[in-house]
Amino acid sequence: IADTPDAQVALGYCIFHGIGGHEDEAEAAEWYRKAADQGHADAQYRLGECYDNGQGVEENDAETAEWYQKAADQGHAGAQYRLALCYDIGRGVEEDRAKAVDWYRKAADQGRADAQKDLGKCYDHGRGVEQDRDKAAYWCEKAAAHGNAHDQCALGLRYQKGRFGKQNHAKAVDWFRRAADQGHGGAQYNLGLCHANGQGVEQGHDKAVDWFRKAANQGHVEAKYNLGKCYYTGEGVKQDEDEAFRWFWAAADRGHGPAAQIIVKKAASSSSSRLKFEAADPECPDTQCSFGKCLEELSNHKFASSSFRKAANQG
């Protein structure tokens, strides 16, 4: 396969990833080099990655940028994006954010989601290009449309907070829902807040409870706390103090201060609650520390000291 670059790249890839049982990053880099020297764009990109990450070769910023440049000049979208990053932070080349934007755009125009997202950020902050919130929104939406739930939730937050010039709660709800339907806990929590507050959607505490529960069941701390409040007040669900405190405890076990404060105040007025409080999980230092701070505020220095000690002994 001496003069067949496609085969050389394929062989390098197999050896790099151990496909077929033989894994050797240095040997893989040499096969990439053979193909790269013949002008193979993907080989140039992969060799650039090797230098970028120090895999099979010694890490070298100048070589990284050089090989990305060669592949980018041939239209390789991945190399165009990586070269943009090099110009953005001055890695292997002199920092030049205008050039970074140019290369982000080239990769973005080929549908590269990470390039679209970073190009949106450039327009958002006026980095390397004149600030333009409409273009920032356009490129961030293009990126989120690829389906990454984290990007969709982040875009929802931007619309909710007015990062593109003004708040747009309807669009925030749309992007939160796309991410929430994929099981993103943060988006589920934020969608619950939208329903609870009637922002971008008709107010409905029952729907808020549904979304808080989905997020809470995935471990989202704020969702656990808010679900506890719903049970405590009876908003959107039948009032149930035991269930409320089950969720307050679940949040407090993750170091949630307000949840711990509710538990401590309840313990101060109820002997049965106090017994449950004194049996707080000694394996969770965040919980004990939160309890200690709450007890200090209530001037219960004896129990505060005990909670701080339990937390400190686990450090």
Side-chain angles (χ1 to χ4, degrees):
I1 60 174
D3 296 312
T4 53
D6 285 343
Q8 291 168 340
V9 174
L11 179 59
Y13 181 88
C14 290
I15 294 172
F16 188 92
H17 294 282
I19 299 172
H22 176 57
E23 183 176 345
D24 188 324
E25 291 180 352
E27 184 180 347
E30 283 307 308
W31 283 113
Y32 289 152
R33 190 184 307 280
K34 290 177 188 292
D37 286 339
Q38 297 177 68
H40 193 287
D42 193 51
Q44 292 167 340
Y45 168 66
R46 292 184 184 280
L47 186 56
E49 281 190 311
C50 289
Y51 279 111
D52 199 352
N53 301 312
Q55 294 174 302
V57 294
E58 187 175 345
E59 187 175 326
N60 186 307
D61 291 348
E63 291 278 359
T64 295
E66 180 181 346
W67 286 110
Y68 284 155
Q69 181 78 61
K70 289 177 186 289
D73 286 339
Q74 296 193 65
H76 191 290
Q80 291 171 340
Y81 173 64
R82 294 294 183 87
L83 184 60
L85 292 175
C86 289
Y87 277 112
D88 210 352
I89 63 174
R91 183 174 188 189
V93 292
E94 186 176 348
E95 183 180 309
D96 188 329
R97 288 184 168 171
K99 282 188 177 181
V101 168
D102 287 342
W103 285 110
Y104 282 139
R105 185 177 288 107
K106 288 178 190 293
D109 284 339
Q110 293 197 64
R112 178 105 185 184
D114 43 13
Q116 293 169 339
K117 180 170 65 174
D118 285 350
L119 182 57
K121 290 179 181 178
C122 290
Y123 277 113
D124 191 15
H125 299 289
R127 192 178 73 232
V129 68
E130 185 177 351
Q131 187 178 50
D132 188 323
R133 293 289 171 75
D134 288 337
K135 288 183 179 178
Y138 171 79
W139 284 111
C140 286
E141 284 205 11
K142 291 277 281 186
H146 285 268
N148 182 285
H150 178 77
D151 289 346
Q152 292 172 338
C153 182
L155 182 57
L157 287 171
R158 287 185 172 212
Y159 275 120
Q160 187 179 66
K161 295 177 180 179
R163 284 295 304 276
F164 298 126
K166 61 181 180 180
Q167 289 179 307
N168 190 325
H169 293 297
K171 281 200 169 185
V173 166
D174 177 42
W175 288 106
F176 285 150
R177 190 179 305 280
R178 295 190 197 198
D181 286 342
Q182 294 188 66
H184 190 283
Q188 291 169 339
Y189 167 68
N190 287 317
L191 193 54
L193 288 179
C194 291
H195 281 287
N197 298 321
Q199 292 183 319
V201 67
E202 184 178 351
Q203 187 176 39
H205 292 291
D206 55 339
K207 290 185 177 179
V209 167
D210 288 342
W211 285 113
F212 287 152
R213 190 185 310 281
K214 288 179 189 228
N217 285 334
Q218 294 196 72
H220 195 284
V221 180
E222 286 293 336
K224 292 178 180 181
Y225 173 64
N226 277 270
L227 185 56
K229 288 200 300 181
C230 290
Y231 275 109
Y232 196 66
T233 61
E235 282 194 325
V237 68
K238 183 178 179 181
Q239 191 171 21
D240 186 331
E241 187 170 301
D242 288 340
E243 187 68 5
F245 274 87
R246 185 173 80 82
W247 286 109
F248 287 147
W249 272 93
D253 279 345
R254 295 284 300 278
H256 193 281
Q261 190 170 35
I262 290 174
I263 294 169
V264 169
K265 287 182 177 179
K266 181 69 174 177
S269 61
S270 169
S271 59
S272 61
S273 294
R274 183 179 299 110
L275 288 173
K276 189 174 182 182
F277 162 65
E278 290 173 3
D281 181 10
E283 299 301 321
C284 183
D286 286 341
T287 304
Q288 297 295 352
C289 192
S290 294
F291 284 153
K293 291 175 182 177
C294 295
L295 288 162
E296 280 285 350
E297 292 177 9
L298 295 172
S299 298
N300 191 330
H301 303 298
K302 178 180 176 181
F303 278 111
S305 177
S306 174
S307 289
F308 288 141
R309 183 180 298 280
K310 288 178 181 178
N313 284 339
Q314 295 175 65

